[in-house]
Amino acid sequence: MTPEVPGATDLGVEAIRLQRATLAYRAPITTAYGTLDRREVVLLTVVDEDGRTGRGEAAPLAGFTPETVDEAEAALQRWADEGTDPSAYPTARAAIDSALLDLASARAGRPVHDLLSPGSPAELPVAALVAGPTVDDLADAARRAVADGHPGVKVKVGVGPFEADLERVAAVRAAIDGAGLRLDANGAWCVSEAIDRLGRLAAFHPEFVEEPTAGLDDNAAVRAASPVPVAVDESAPDLPSIERALAVRAADVLIVKPSALGGPRPTAEAARRATDAGLRVVVTSLLEGSVGIRATAHLASALGLLQPAPGLATAGLLATDVGEPLMAVGGALYLD
Ligand SMILES: [Mg+2]
């Protein structure tokens, strides 16, 4: 399915507003590229002749998107002033197409997911990201997430000594019985370490491990010898690198972040290519605000990318959000 995004003129857009907002996280978030405690995003609002609005969010993140927040804002401003194509700035592209779809949804009186794909589900079970300072805290968080209804949990590995990872993963597996368990090493290991360590982690039946090593060629080498399915995420942040990931057989699973990839159209294209090549596709957030998470959730529903469960239960990480927080209830997001 290729999402049809109506143009601003077709929707009778009469005003376009840009606004900076600051997202603050409840606790610092560690990514492969550093620690994040707050970040700026740009909110885009398009308004039609009857005052109906559509919103989008541009949320650049170092390591995942090529542009800075200043560059994304400038690209949005040029689009607003002159209609300049923002495609070189994927977060701006995502914000514009999401805002236009949101406005189209308001005009049609139908949710975005249903507009894109009639009959697509309003309920999305989502995986939970769990963390904790001690093994017991981590296992408790995982147990609570699964008891709440999440179909599975994700655990970060590769931060401390490997023996600690083994202990943490074993405790989580014991706490959640047969629920889904996915791991993310964010490229922490070299190829031989990754192969050895995944051989030991396989006993806990992870669904997959994201980025066991860094780079597509090295992930391909790990995948060829790993008993645990390999996922690529930050190694394949755009369509050309996704094509390359498929060509070198770097992964069994593709993680897509629509906010980083450029929104509905490139996401649909990436998902189609990956699925055709036999990969599973997991839609995740970019730890952005709820305007962006909501757009991504509607898209995941419309594209049928619900299994493995999307990683979209991230609004709870935010102390300050944009728009109404899209929180998981009973392990699922509900769209309207
Ligand atoms: Mg990841």
Side-chain angles (χ1 to χ4, degrees):
M1 196 267 284
T2 304
E4 299 273 342
V5 181
T9 312
D10 305 327
L11 293 170
V13 171
E14 291 204 331
I16 298 171
R17 295 196 291 265
L18 300 182
Q19 183 197 347
R20 286 259 191 149
T22 301
L23 302 178
Y25 296 90
R26 291 186 189 280
I29 309 276
T30 303
T31 75
Y33 298 91
T35 297
L36 197 62
D37 56 6
R38 54 208 301 124
R39 106 198 220 219
E40 285 196 83
V41 297
V42 185
L43 292 176
L44 167 67
T45 305
V46 293
V47 188
D48 76 1
E49 66 271 15
D50 297 320
R52 284 177 294 236
T53 58
R55 299 180 87 195
E57 177 180 352
L61 183 61
F64 289 87
T65 60
E67 71 268 42
T68 64
V69 69
D70 288 341
E71 289 165 342
E73 185 175 45
L76 288 169
Q77 193 66 59
R78 287 193 298 275
W79 174 76
D81 293 342
E82 301 153 26
T84 307
D85 182 353
S87 292
Y89 304 91
T91 64
R93 170 86 274 163
I96 292 166
D97 282 3
S98 300
L100 293 171
L101 283 171
D102 192 34
L103 178 57
S105 154
R107 288 166 64 94
R110 289 167 65 192
V112 171
H113 71 86
D114 193 63
L115 204 58
L116 290 173
S117 177
S120 53
E123 175 186 348
L124 281 76
V126 286
L129 177 62
V130 293
T134 69
V135 174
D136 286 346
D137 292 331
L138 177 69
D140 280 346
R143 188 180 296 111
R144 278 198 308 274
V146 170
D148 271 355
H150 288 283
V153 300
K154 170 168 155 177
V155 175
K156 293 273 186 187
V157 293
V159 178
F162 181 64
E163 295 308 322
D165 280 341
L166 266 183
E167 194 186 348
R168 285 152 41 85
V169 172
V172 169
R173 171 48 78 209
I176 64 172
D177 294 325
L181 167 60
R182 51 187 75 166
L183 308 177
D184 191 349
N186 287 119
W189 302 321
C190 72
V191 172
S192 60
E193 280 171 346
I195 292 168
D196 175 61
R197 292 171 178 189
L198 292 173
R200 299 172 69 191
L201 288 165
F204 307 109
H205 306 292
E207 298 175 83
F208 55 81
V209 57
E210 297 178 29
E211 300 277 339
T213 191
L216 295 176
D217 293 309
D218 281 359
N219 274 302
V222 171
R223 175 177 177 259
S226 170
V228 178
V230 168
V232 290
D233 182 356
E234 58 267 27
S235 288
D238 51 26
L239 282 175
S241 58
I242 289 169
E243 277 297 331
R244 199 169 126 61
L246 301 178
V248 302
R249 300 177 181 277
D252 304 285
V253 177
L254 176 70
I255 308 294
V256 291
K257 295 176 158 55
S259 295
L261 202 52
R265 289 179 284 187
T267 300
E269 180 67 14
R272 187 184 61 73
R273 293 188 200 180
T275 307
D276 286 352
L279 278 72
R280 290 176 286 156
V281 177
V282 178
V283 176
T284 72
S285 80
L286 193 55
L287 307 177
E288 70 274 60
S290 282
V291 170
I293 297 172
R294 191 170 270 106
T296 291
H298 279 280
L299 184 62
S301 171
L303 295 176
L305 299 173
L306 304 175
Q307 189 59 248
L312 294 174
T314 56
L317 303 173
L318 292 165
T320 64
D321 201 339
V322 291
E324 188 189 340
L326 183 59
M327 306 292 283
V329 178
L333 302 182
Y334 290 87
L335 302 177
D336 54 22

